[in-house]
Amino acid sequence: MENEETTVLKIDLASPTPAYRQIVDGLRALLVHGAFSPGDRLPTVRQLAIDLAVHHNTVAQAYRVLAEEGWLDLRRHNGATVIQRNSQPASAASHQNFSQRLRELTAQAVADGLDAKAIVQQLDSLSKELNRQPEKET
Amino acid sequence: MKMLSTHWPLIAGALLPWGSLAAAALFTPRLSRPDLFFAVTVNPSFRQSPAGRDILRQYDRFIVIMALLALLPIGCLLLQGRLPLLIAGLLGPVFVELAGWFGAFLMARGRAKPYHVTPTSEREASLQPRRISLPGGWLAQAGPFLILAMIFLCLGLRWDAIPARIPVHWGVSGRPDGWAAKSPISVFGTAAIGLLICSFLAVLWCAMAHGVRRIHSAGPRGMRETRFFRAISFFMLGMEYWLALLMGLLSLAALRPNPEAPLPAFLPILLGQTLLISTIFFIGYRAGQGGWRWGTAAEGQMMPADSVVVGDRTPDECWKLGLFYVNRDDPALFVEKRFGIGWTVNLANPRALWFIGGLLFFIAAILSISLLTK
């Protein structure tokens, strides 16, 4: 049982967001931010399920979603491997979906008391962070 | 005085478990993680509060009283030796202490329950595949099995030199008090028992290395957990060596030129057991459950009272009597004990049946060999 300074995934079992969705979102964020390189192995479904105290199917479902998105390669007895992702040009529906979700999120943030300046700063910082990422997706 | 000098091995054999149990009972609540108090999730500062101190004081008093009461049956050993008195003298103290320990624990747990707090619902996991490194490497792991293999080989090669009647049991004075006719089971049985126990320990270690839940996956706390696991792994390996040597040497007694002569084994066995018990006490005292005490020792301060109580990432309501973990929704087979050092089995996990079945199989196999040897 090894322990290095390692990338950690956190979920909240009391959150209204389903656990599998939290795993997908958390892992995707790490993948987008370049925490893994192609060829890196992720923990097995069983291992991640044990540490997160969720059912194996929950982790398996999260891995399947990420595999369908092109982030992971799932092979029996070989666990999940990060792969070079060939991104597709975003469809009009994806653009619309993103725009809609961003609007909803911003509205929620305003409702929670964040002022417009803070939201703009966050978006600006996120934009700079995304621009700094090495172009892994070809 | 004369009685003491003649019965000292028996008394030492009774006092070792008596002292170990009393010390374990007094130490154990102090080794639990700071946010677990008698298997109840509490605020880390609760232990130092007047209510926490009072619960611990009452528990300590109860343990000391029961330990003193447990000394009474040891007196049976001084009375000239009937078997029931011998059994009462050796096992009586253990039963009295265990019953007292359990009672004291339940009382303290009952008093701690009103101070229960809900731990965080956050869970974390390392995203690096768990790499299992064998403590000491393959050669060190193979050592106990190599020792026993050499014993088997030696007994097999010198089969003709083994007498028709061999000792299979010895009294505390080292004089043989159980004999068996020469047969494969009587000659190889003791070493086979050693092999079974070593195999069980090796399989158990492997299952734990793959199946133990990590409470902290990263940072200093995660490092301490890893170090703690390694310390326990080395202790288990030490136990395998001890058992392999003990069972191997007892097997070789069949080759002694004068089997009637006393076997000078009592003192080495007593010393070996004392060493093993001292080692686990040392690990427990220095590390605490999951290695949390290493941090405080290094930092020279008490564990900071977290704003978020982490606990052991298991729900309180799934701990039956504070000792047995039963949670159908938890995929972990092994979780940290809430009271004590090491890990326990999630009894609701379907694989727990395999584990318990395997354990019973090993016990049955060992008992069968013991009975067939006689």
Side-chain angles (χ1 to χ4, degrees):
Chain A
M1 214 161 67
E2 299 272 322
N3 185 81
E4 298 102 23
E5 281 310 315
T6 179
T7 315
V8 170
L9 177 71
K10 288 187 181 183
I11 64 166
D12 187 347
L13 296 182
S15 162
T17 310
Y20 98 91
R21 177 50 59 189
Q22 293 184 57
I23 298 170
V24 170
D25 292 345
L27 270 173
R28 193 195 290 115
L30 290 165
L31 288 158
V32 167
H33 288 91
F36 300 100
S37 307
D40 284 353
R41 301 267 292 270
L42 293 182
T44 60
V45 167
R46 182 179 292 273
Q47 192 56 63
L48 200 54
I50 287 173
D51 283 345
L52 294 176
V54 294
H55 198 275
H56 303 132
N57 289 344
T58 305
V59 178
Q61 190 182 1
Y63 276 6
R64 272 199 302 275
V65 169
L66 290 168
E68 280 163 15
E69 289 180 8
W71 295 106
L72 301 180
D73 179 33
L74 303 180
R75 287 196 189 151
R76 191 174 283 271
H77 305 305
N78 206 23
T81 310
V82 177
I83 52 174
Q84 184 83 28
R85 184 169 185 260
N86 297 315
S87 65
Q88 309 288 325
S91 64
S94 299
H95 274 291
Q96 198 182 350
N97 183 31
F98 170 68
S99 178
Q100 175 71 20
R101 283 177 67 183
L102 191 60
R103 252 200 302 274
E104 285 166 5
L105 190 64
T106 312
Q108 180 68 57
V110 171
D112 288 346
L114 270 79
D115 61 21
K117 200 175 166 188
I119 296 169
V120 170
Q121 269 176 355
Q122 284 286 321
L123 288 172
D124 189 42
S125 145
L126 192 61
S127 142
K128 282 178 185 155
E129 212 173 295
L130 281 169
N131 284 329
R132 271 202 304 273
Q133 294 305 311
E135 194 57 50
K136 288 186 173 183
E137 301 174 25
T138 54
Chain B
M1 213 51 199
K2 191 183 170 192
M3 220 176 244
L4 272 179
S5 65
T6 51
H7 288 76
W8 78 265
L10 272 178
I11 291 169
L15 283 177
L16 179 65
W18 172 82
S20 306
L21 270 175
L26 288 171
F27 268 126
T28 303
R30 291 157 172 89
L31 306 180
S32 305
R33 289 182 179 269
D35 40 14
L36 291 169
F37 192 64
F38 291 102
V40 177
T41 309
V42 293
N43 196 294
S45 57
F46 175 71
R47 193 178 288 257
Q48 305 301 329
S49 69
R53 282 171 191 267
D54 188 49
I55 292 171
L56 199 57
R57 255 197 308 273
Q58 190 198 42
Y59 170 87
D60 287 347
R61 271 200 298 270
F62 199 89
I63 292 293
V64 170
I65 290 168
M66 291 307 285
L68 292 174
L69 280 176
L71 278 174
L72 295 176
I74 294 181
C76 296
L77 297 174
L78 295 173
L79 303 171
Q80 288 300 327
R82 291 220 183 110
L83 190 64
L85 287 176
L86 192 70
I87 293 171
L90 287 172
L91 298 183
V94 174
F95 279 118
V96 172
E97 279 193 309
L98 281 177
W101 190 358
F102 190 53
F105 168 74
L106 288 183
M107 273 198 291
R109 177 174 159 77
R111 287 188 66 196
K113 270 184 178 173
Y115 302 96
H116 154 86
V117 294
T118 307
T120 177
S121 51
E122 232 181 47
R123 299 286 180 269
E124 65 176 46
S126 163
L127 287 175
Q128 290 193 316
R130 193 175 279 186
R131 281 185 293 161
I132 311 295
S133 56
L134 292 166
W138 277 106
L139 199 63
Q141 291 292 320
F145 298 94
L146 288 174
I147 291 170
L148 288 167
M150 281 167 62
I151 300 291
F152 277 112
L153 193 67
C154 181
L155 289 169
L157 288 174
R158 299 200 58 199
W159 181 261
D160 293 337
I162 298 171
R165 188 169 161 266
I166 57 168
V168 289
H169 195 267
W170 294 263
V172 285
S173 62
R175 195 167 289 283
D177 59 5
W179 297 83
K182 178 182 170 183
S183 71
I185 196 86
S186 62
V187 172
F188 295 111
T190 308
I193 290 174
L195 186 65
L196 276 171
I197 300 176
C198 288
S199 305
F200 178 74
L201 286 173
V203 170
L204 179 64
W205 179 84
C206 203
M208 289 198 319
H210 285 92
V212 160
R213 145 103 32 82
R214 298 294 301 268
I215 292 168
H216 298 284
S217 295
R221 293 180 184 184
M223 298 291 276
R224 279 176 221 145
E225 273 183 41
T226 303
R227 198 175 152 200
F228 177 73
F229 187 83
R230 282 193 75 77
I232 296 292
S233 302
F234 275 107
F235 174 73
M236 287 173 76
L237 184 62
M239 266 175 73
E240 284 181 44
Y241 271 95
W242 161 245
L243 284 163
L245 284 169
L246 179 68
M247 297 302 196
L249 291 174
L250 288 177
S251 301
L252 289 180
L255 287 169
R256 294 174 83 209
N258 180 12
E260 303 267 357
L263 193 68
F266 181 76
L267 204 57
I269 290 173
L270 194 68
L271 287 175
Q273 282 176 347
T274 309
L275 183 70
L276 275 177
I277 291 169
S278 310
T279 307
I280 194 65
F281 268 96
F282 181 73
I283 294 173
Y285 175 73
R286 290 299 300 271
Q289 175 65 307
W292 75 270
R293 282 167 73 106
W294 272 322
T296 54
E299 292 149 18
Q301 59 187 22
M302 286 305 292
M303 194 89 164
D306 289 346
S307 52
V308 177
V309 177
V310 175
D312 61 355
R313 302 196 194 274
T314 59
D316 274 17
E317 60 273 18
C318 293
W319 286 92
K320 309 301 173 197
L321 298 172
L323 301 173
F324 305 103
Y325 184 59
V326 186
N327 186 357
R328 197 177 284 275
D329 296 329
D330 190 339
L333 176 58
F334 295 103
V335 293
E336 264 194 20
K337 281 181 196 169
R338 282 201 163 184
F339 191 70
I341 288 289
W343 300 269
T344 188
V345 176
N346 175 8
L347 294 170
N349 188 305
R351 283 174 298 150
L353 281 178
W354 286 98
F355 177 80
I356 294 166
L359 183 65
L360 291 177
F361 167 78
F362 274 105
I363 292 172
I366 289 165
L367 286 176
S368 306
I369 294 172
S370 304
L371 290 172
L372 286 169
T373 305
K374 286 176 182 169

